[in-house]
Amino acid sequence: MSLTKEFCIRTLLVLTLVNCQAITAQCQEPVAPTGTAPLTIEGDPASLMVDGLDRFLLRQITNESQTRSAEFRLNTESTESLKASATEYRSTLASCLGIRDPRLTFSRPEIITWSGLSSIAAESEEVIIQAIRWPVLSDPSPQGQGLISVAGEGLLLTPKGPVRASVIVLPDADQTPEQMAGLQAGLPASQQVARLLAESGCRVVVPMLVSRQREKRLGRADLTHREYLHRAAFELGRTLAGYEVQSVLSLVDWFEKDAPDQPIGVYGHGEGGMEALFAAALDTRIDATAVSGFFGPREASWQEPIDRNFSGLLKSFGAAELACLCAPRKLMVLTTEGPAFQLAGNGGAPAELSSPSPQAAAEEFRQAQSKLGPFGENLALVQPKERVVTPEILSAWLTQLTGAAMSTAKAALTVHDSLVSAIEEGREKRIIQQLDRHNQLLLRESPFVRKDFMSKLDVSSVEAYTQSSESYRDVFRKSVIGEFQIPVLPFNARSRRSYETDKWIGYEVMLDVFPDVFAYGILLLPKDLKPGEKRPVVVCQHGLEGRPTDIIQGDHPAYHDFAARLCERGFITFSPQNPYIFTDRFRTLQRKAQPLGKSLFSLIVPQHQQIVDWLQTQPNVDPDRIAFYGLSYGGKSAMRIPALVTDYCLSICSADFNEWVLKNATTRHNFSYIWTGEYEIFEWDLGSTFNYAEMAALICPRPFMVERGHFDGVGEDDWVGYEYAKVRHLYSAQLKIGDRTEIEWFVGPHTINGQGTYSFLHKHLNWPEPKAQ
């Protein structure tokens, strides 16, 4: 055979073999997820997810109510045993309300006077009415100890004759002290509680509560005064109601010191009724309490104004349990008509407040009495036919407090209108400014509090650090994010092939998590994936109001199809649907979760754990190389989820990393969430526990990266750099693993830059970067 002929035959064989391989590749079944049933779901998965989470949380609220009722136990064998068994519950209640700061002491309140005017706003033959101010809380800084930071203001009604009791009368938030004292129109004489009690020999103080009046701040969020103060306080582990209860208890401190033999009573209506019940449940020095226009089931509190959002309160307390903590002292529950209204969102939290029905109040009352056994007789239920307080009802309550009924003779009240006007002018503004400033002082102190909190981390070695961080992870999981103690369901994985390009195939995947809770996302598999080949995975997370499709197609200006681009680089990617979508529909999920001591991430974290667990079963996935990369709200996820889902081997936070507590609590910076419509964003007591540096400390020693555009409006470079410097110090200076953390600064907006982060993924996932074209 000639050489030419042999060469031709060999060439033909080679070409035939190549063609056969190409045909085989074309006919080969593409790589697909294994162990899945067909996905046949119809409708929008995101909407179905949010609806399911809503059903789950409402069911948990109901279940928690039943569990709480069964587990709440007081020892009613004796007065002493009752008091002792209530101690831990009182501590829990104080924590839920954020009552944690020592109160200032004072010998007497300040009588407020104005130049050229008498100090007496009104008087009769029986009573003198004056405006007063009293200290409540100190400046929280070491240098400011003892300096007044928060003061209460209100009216003092002093009988001219003998004083038989000291009483605090708390109006509703939309009532004024002057109305309760009869100095101002708004209440009939028969409902002017403060005046009636003072004319019957009680020294009465009527504090001013912050109103629900709305104000548009910085031309942006239209918030009530109460929500404005609530937002920062909640992030710092306090509440507005807690501040106002502290003001009440500071008056109790004064009463006890000034007249130790006189009984102390608290009466409250509406918002004041709620705070009167809180105060009496907390402080055993209060001898008798009357709660009007509030008492009833609390399971729908998530619908109420957001300043009534108390983290974890429903885990331990409904109205019945709070009433039990008032025993063996006297409590009168009045089924009077409470405030009822609707609040539109307009940048704030929408709300609906309804007055509890007499029937619902009576049922809660019966529960309280049954828990108290022989001490239940100290609770009284009064159901007035017209659903308003009357002098006869007040007389019965005063008899509980002092043993004597209310006097009936009433003298005319002379009101000095000019002084009353002076009293009201600027008073609420001063109170709001003081509480705002106090929140900002707490914010200023919060880095020192967090540093002390994290001081038990052992940085002597990576191994010691990893071990010592577990206790902090446990705190983060249970006390900050919140954890449902519910078994996770089997995967029941379903999938369908839905997307395809010349380089990858996309599958929708759905997994069960809890009853009514599922995980859903889009799995992208490279077409060059070989059977049995193990590759790294990048879980790519969209932002607020986003969907998985936003990050695989359409070149969204924030995402630039980064999940698809990473798949084209050889990574398997999974893009979950997170439930922060549909505005108020998801934001009210947070409202439902927080009274249970939970959060939206209490559900997102198990979803991601289920996703990772399932990915690790897939034959083409390297279970040790699963990374997380999220932008914006996905960046928030990048700080919280990998801190708890430790199967994520690294995390990249894009377009979100911040001095997070500052961003949530500051009223000085324009980038603050105080001014925006994200009313769900505030998380309980991060100020004392976990800012982003502390969350990153839970990701450490795994690789961690920040992607930051200089013109990204979520924050400012100096604050981002300030917070990241703490992360860098931990990795590089303390643990000597500086090669595991980076920050990329780029000239650009709120977007995936996809330069340094892609290299970071290739480096730490040990996957070769594509060669430059």
Side-chain angles (χ1 to χ4, degrees):
M1 182 183 296
S2 68
L3 290 176
T4 301
K5 187 174 181 179
E6 183 180 357
F7 174 78
C8 290
I9 292 172
R10 289 183 176 181
T11 301
L12 181 61
L13 290 172
V14 170
L15 291 173
T16 301
L17 180 60
V18 170
N19 287 333
C20 288
Q21 289 174 337
I23 292 169
T24 301
Q26 290 174 1
C27 297
Q28 180 181 329
E29 186 69 24
V31 177
T34 61
T36 67
L39 176 62
T40 59
I41 189 173
E42 299 295 333
D44 180 4
S47 185
L48 294 171
M49 177 183 287
V50 171
D51 284 346
L53 298 184
D54 188 70
R55 291 192 299 274
F56 175 85
L57 287 170
L58 289 174
R59 189 166 60 248
Q60 290 304 307
I61 290 173
T62 300
N63 292 346
E64 199 71 66
S65 171
Q66 296 168 351
T67 301
R68 178 187 71 232
S69 180
E71 293 182 352
F72 186 91
R73 289 286 183 270
L74 294 175
N75 187 335
T76 59
E77 293 180 0
S78 67
T79 300
E80 291 71 24
S81 66
L82 179 65
K83 291 178 180 179
S85 62
T87 301
E88 186 174 345
Y89 287 116
R90 290 196 174 96
S91 177
T92 300
L93 177 58
S95 296
C96 292
L97 299 178
I99 295 178
R100 56 200 284 186
D101 304 305
R103 294 185 297 276
L104 292 169
T105 59
F106 61 99
S107 56
R108 63 182 62 84
E110 172 193 358
I111 303 296
I112 304 174
T113 60
W114 285 263
S115 177
L117 296 174
S118 166
S119 67
I120 298 174
E123 67 177 316
S124 69
E125 294 178 0
E126 298 166 326
V127 65
I128 295 172
I129 303 177
Q130 297 168 294
I132 61 170
R133 181 186 297 119
W134 62 96
V136 179
L137 298 176
S138 167
D139 181 323
S141 68
Q143 300 84 356
Q145 288 297 304
L147 298 178
I148 298 173
S149 179
V150 176
E153 288 195 43
L155 295 181
L156 171 65
L157 290 77
T158 306
K160 290 184 175 179
V163 176
R164 55 174 173 159
S166 295
V167 177
I168 301 161
V169 172
L170 294 166
D172 180 55
D174 288 331
Q175 295 174 330
T176 66
E178 289 71 32
Q179 288 174 322
M180 298 297 276
L183 309 188
Q184 192 179 64
L187 289 174
S190 60
Q191 296 174 39
Q192 293 167 7
V193 174
R195 177 184 177 182
L196 292 171
L197 291 172
E199 289 174 339
S200 296
C202 295
R203 173 173 55 175
V204 178
V205 176
V206 191
M208 173 73 189
L209 301 190
V210 175
S211 77
R212 304 184 187 98
Q213 183 178 338
R214 302 187 77 132
E215 181 179 333
K216 199 163 189 177
R217 301 172 191 278
L218 291 188
R220 296 163 74 182
D222 180 16
L223 308 177
T224 66
H225 294 324
R226 296 188 70 83
E227 181 174 355
Y228 170 69
L229 294 169
H230 162 83
R231 289 184 168 195
F234 195 83
E235 191 78 10
L236 298 165
R238 276 77 170 175
T239 66
L240 175 57
Y243 285 144
E244 291 177 333
V245 170
Q246 286 275 57
S247 183
V248 171
L249 299 184
S250 67
L251 291 170
V252 174
D253 296 339
W254 171 50
F255 288 160
E256 181 190 40
K257 182 188 299 183
D258 187 65
D261 297 328
Q262 284 181 3
I264 298 172
V266 178
Y267 172 99
H269 176 72
E271 205 73 17
M274 177 184 74
E275 294 179 6
L277 186 58
F278 286 154
L282 287 169
D283 199 323
T284 59
R285 297 173 298 173
I286 297 171
D287 298 293
T289 305
V291 176
S292 166
F294 170 75
F295 196 88
R298 303 301 304 140
E299 282 64 42
S301 60
W302 61 268
Q303 295 179 325
E304 296 178 351
I306 198 168
D307 57 276
R308 288 187 174 193
N309 184 20
F310 307 109
S311 179
L313 187 68
L314 284 183
K315 287 175 61 178
S316 302
F317 305 104
E321 289 76 22
L322 292 171
C324 287
L325 295 184
C326 298
R329 295 158 294 132
K330 301 292 185 180
L331 172 67
M332 179 178 286
V333 172
L334 312 179
T335 62
T336 50
E337 191 76 41
F341 55 83
Q342 289 186 329
L343 288 174
N346 300 334
E352 181 175 357
L353 185 60
S354 302
S355 180
S357 71
Q359 296 78 15
E363 176 56 31
E364 284 285 320
F365 182 85
R366 282 191 290 271
Q367 289 182 34
Q369 279 197 318
S370 67
K371 293 175 188 293
L372 287 171
F375 294 100
E377 64 184 17
N378 293 324
L379 276 55
L381 178 68
V382 178
Q383 298 179 288
K385 185 176 180 181
E386 301 300 324
R387 299 201 66 191
V388 295
V389 68
T390 64
E392 292 74 23
I393 293 172
L394 276 181
S395 183
W397 180 67
L398 191 59
T399 301
Q400 283 188 338
L401 178 63
T402 67
M406 195 165 65
S407 60
T408 56
K410 300 292 177 267
L413 192 66
T414 301
V415 179
H416 304 293
D417 293 328
S418 58
L419 183 55
V420 172
S421 298
I423 291 170
E424 286 194 292
E425 184 179 0
R427 178 177 57 193
E428 183 174 36
K429 184 177 181 180
R430 286 192 301 274
I431 293 172
I432 292 170
Q433 287 176 332
Q434 280 189 356
L435 291 172
D436 184 7
R437 186 176 65 236
H438 187 73
N439 283 337
Q440 298 311 296
L441 290 171
L442 290 170
L443 174 61
R444 189 180 69 183
E445 288 299 306
S446 66
F448 303 99
V449 177
R450 291 191 299 275
K451 186 174 182 179
D452 183 63
F453 170 69
M454 299 294 288
S455 63
K456 294 181 176 61
L457 282 173
D458 185 347
V459 294
S460 61
S461 68
V462 172
E463 293 74 20
Y465 178 86
T466 301
Q467 184 175 357
S468 66
S469 66
E470 285 306 309
S471 62
Y472 287 98
R473 196 183 325 279
D474 194 55
V475 172
F476 189 60
R477 184 187 304 277
K478 294 178 180 177
S479 301
V480 177
I481 296 298
E483 181 181 37
F484 286 105
Q485 298 289 331
I486 299 172
V488 176
L489 296 172
F491 296 134
N492 185 25
R494 291 88 78 199
S495 68
R496 66 183 167 209
R497 181 171 169 173
S498 301
Y499 308 94
E500 186 170 1
T501 70
D502 60 337
K503 294 184 178 180
W504 51 259
I505 301 173
Y507 295 85
E508 295 177 82
V509 177
M510 183 175 286
L511 309 168
D512 290 345
V513 181
F514 299 136
D516 282 322
V517 179
F518 63 85
Y520 167 86
I522 297 175
L523 176 71
L524 299 188
L525 298 174
K527 282 189 171 179
D528 64 352
L529 191 62
K530 299 177 179 62
E533 179 188 10
K534 299 286 188 180
R535 290 202 189 180
V537 180
V538 182
V539 173
C540 302
Q541 191 61 67
H542 63 75
L544 182 66
E545 300 294 334
R547 296 172 180 272
T549 50
D550 293 338
I551 59 179
I552 69 167
Q553 62 185 17
D555 195 25
H556 188 289
Y559 303 119
H560 300 300
D561 300 340
F562 77 104
R565 298 291 84 80
L566 287 168
C567 190
E568 291 165 4
R569 287 170 165 261
F571 298 106
I572 297 170
T573 67
F574 190 90
S575 304
Q577 175 70 64
N578 269 9
Y580 35 74
I581 187 170
F582 306 121
T583 57
D584 287 339
R585 283 177 61 193
F586 94 80
R587 292 193 165 108
T588 54
L589 297 178
Q590 182 87 319
R591 292 289 315 273
K592 295 178 177 80
Q594 285 178 330
L596 298 174
K598 308 297 191 294
S599 68
L600 192 58
F601 279 96
S602 302
L603 294 169
I604 296 174
V605 167
Q607 286 177 320
H608 274 259
Q609 186 65 66
Q610 193 79 323
I611 288 167
V612 171
D613 289 348
W614 177 78
L615 285 170
Q616 290 175 332
T617 70
Q618 296 302 293
N620 291 108
V621 169
D622 184 338
D624 296 323
R625 292 187 291 167
I626 303 178
F628 190 101
Y629 185 1
L631 175 132
S632 194
Y633 224 119
K636 293 173 183 54
S637 301
M639 299 308 303
R640 292 159 179 77
I641 297 170
L644 296 176
V645 180
T646 55
D647 296 294
Y648 281 124
C649 68
L650 67 79
S651 182
I652 300 175
C653 176
S654 176
D656 183 71
F657 191 88
N658 234 305
E659 212 284 26
W660 182 252
V661 173
L662 176 82
K663 181 174 175 60
N664 281 264
T666 180
T667 54
R668 181 66 180 87
H669 295 277
N670 288 340
F671 60 74
S672 174
Y673 276 121
I674 295 290
W675 320 119
T676 72
E678 286 100 334
Y679 57 82
E680 89 295 343
I681 206 76
F682 306 95
E683 297 162 280
W684 177 247
D685 200 20
L686 287 190
S688 303
T689 53
F690 295 92
N691 204 339
Y692 272 12
E694 288 76 26
M695 292 183 201
L698 298 182
I699 297 170
C700 182
R702 292 167 288 161
F704 172 71
M705 184 174 181
V706 172
E707 186 175 42
R708 164 69 189 172
H710 288 301
F711 299 112
D712 188 342
V714 301
E716 295 176 355
D717 283 355
D718 54 343
W719 286 112
V720 174
Y722 162 80
E723 192 69 9
Y724 178 74
K726 299 181 228 177
V727 179
R728 180 72 189 175
H729 181 77
L730 172 63
Y731 275 80
S732 184
Q734 293 181 294
L735 295 177
K736 309 298 188 295
I737 52 173
D739 62 325
R740 299 187 195 179
T741 187
E742 296 179 25
I743 185 169
E744 181 188 37
W745 306 89
F746 66 93
V747 180
H750 191 74
T751 187
I752 293 284
N753 190 45
Q755 300 295 319
T757 52
Y758 288 5
S759 295
F760 190 81
L761 287 167
H762 282 285
K763 172 184 175 182
H764 292 286
L765 294 178
N766 193 25
W767 187 255
E769 291 203 52
K771 295 179 181 179
Q773 299 295 323

